[in-house]
Amino acid sequence: MSSYLSDLDLSALPRHVAIVMDGNGRWAKQRGLPRTEGHCAGEEALYDVVDGAIGMGLEWLTVFAFSTENWKRPAQEVRFLMNYNRRMLWKRRDELHRRNVRIRYVGRVDWRVPRTVLKEMDYASELTSRNTGLTFTVAFNYGGRTEITDAVRRLVADHDRGRLKGERITPESISARLYHPDMPDPDLLIRTGGEMRISNFLLWQAAYSELWFTPVYWPDFNREHLFEAIRDYQKRDRRFGRVEDQ
Ligand code: IPE
Ligand code: IPE
Ligand code: MG
């Protein structure tokens, strides 16, 4: 076991870690390679992090793989990312299943996502749905605003059916209509690649997440960085609006 892991207080782990895996394109550019090579190089980083998460006994890990805004990229890169995600899943799902990982997807299921990708996602989610270890969620065709918009649509539909009065709407009414209402809010949100923004990730859920940014490009990220982020997290004082020593 790594010395870094032994530094962590395993009894005070964040329950849910979410990661914006960013910097693949710049990693490739730095090496004079096409952007798609950067995405490929990110695969190892992802599985090292998943492996580290399983090893420490993390409950929830969510990664941002493709945003609702990423459709604006060149068609060739979009196509690559679709196939790449399907292939990666196909390659790893049986191993993750054996390791008791529950695989999930979060995002909008719409016509732009190829049917073959949706099929693979359904298969992996169904296969692993009864597993009790890490819940590993891949945010794909995901956008925080879209998720909230979809929740509001459901809310309005319930209202129209007479199931919900306007004055009874609370933040919980919205939470209950998100894509996975059972997903706890992320305690720790990591973004690699140096940008200090959320880019439409988990907008509703990240209201009180601790943020951790690193300039490390995603393909260079590994479990040691994850441990470092969690160590920093464990030093923070989460007040949720309260004062200390209450
Ligand atoms: C993140 O890396 C992966 C996806 C958004 C799919 P980028 O492709 O955004 O890499 P940079 O930010 O351009 O370096
Ligand atoms: C966020 O990264 C989305 C993913 C990592 C999948 P982007 O690279 O798309 O974000 P911006 O464009 O820098 O905000
Ligand atoms: Mg980027």
Side-chain angles (χ1 to χ4, degrees), residues 20-26 35 70 73 191 195 197:
V20 180
M21 309 184 289
D22 195 27
N24 297 350
R26 281 164 285 161
R35 293 179 54 82
N70 289 148
R73 295 189 177 198
R191 183 173 182 142
E195 310 294 1
R197 54 181 173 249

Side-chain angles (χ1 to χ4, degrees), residues 4-188:
Y4 264 106
L5 184 54
S6 61
D7 276 358
L8 289 181
D9 177 356
L10 293 178
S11 68
L13 289 180
R15 190 163 174 227
H16 182 184
V17 176
I19 309 181
V20 180
M21 309 184 289
D22 195 27
N24 297 350
R26 281 164 285 161
W27 182 93
K29 191 171 176 200
Q30 222 176 34
R31 288 161 177 77
L33 298 168
R35 293 179 54 82
T36 48
E37 287 296 319
H39 300 313
C40 289
E43 182 174 348
E44 207 179 312
L46 179 58
Y47 285 99
D48 196 61
V49 165
V50 170
D51 203 50
I54 296 171
M56 76 172 82
L58 194 72
E59 280 184 69
W60 295 77
L61 175 71
T62 301
V63 298
F64 204 1
F66 191 87
S67 79
T68 46
E69 287 70 39
N70 289 148
W71 296 106
K72 296 175 196 155
R73 295 189 177 198
Q76 182 259 343
E77 184 174 347
V78 169
R79 215 164 25 242
F80 178 90
L81 285 168
M82 293 294 139
N83 283 319
Y84 170 74
N85 277 286
R86 182 179 50 80
R87 241 191 36 244
M88 197 159 73
L89 186 63
W90 171 77
K91 263 189 357 208
R92 304 279 183 161
R93 69 159 131 76
D94 292 329
E95 183 204 331
L96 293 175
H97 182 44
R98 270 197 305 278
R99 299 182 73 189
N100 199 24
V101 173
R102 181 166 64 155
I103 302 171
R104 280 197 185 178
Y105 283 84
V106 66
R108 190 183 250 178
V109 178
D110 68 30
W111 57 270
R112 292 177 297 183
V113 183
R115 210 190 287 264
T116 49
V117 179
L118 294 176
K119 241 174 80 180
E120 194 58 50
M121 288 176 177
D122 279 348
Y123 184 86
S125 312
E126 182 49 38
L127 176 74
T128 63
S129 63
R130 279 162 295 278
N131 289 345
T132 54
L134 174 74
T135 299
F136 172 51
T137 307
V138 181
F140 195 83
N141 193 22
Y142 177 85
R145 287 185 172 180
T146 301
E147 182 179 31
I148 297 169
T149 306
D150 286 346
V152 170
R153 282 189 189 169
R154 287 181 198 157
L155 203 72
V156 171
D158 285 344
H159 174 268
D160 292 350
R161 284 193 210 103
R163 289 197 199 139
L164 188 71
K165 287 210 168 100
E167 64 268 26
R168 301 291 294 272
I169 295 173
T170 59
E172 289 71 31
S173 322
I174 295 185
S175 295
R177 288 166 179 82
L178 297 175
Y179 295 140
H180 291 301
D182 64 337
M183 182 175 90
D185 290 344
D187 302 291
L188 173 62

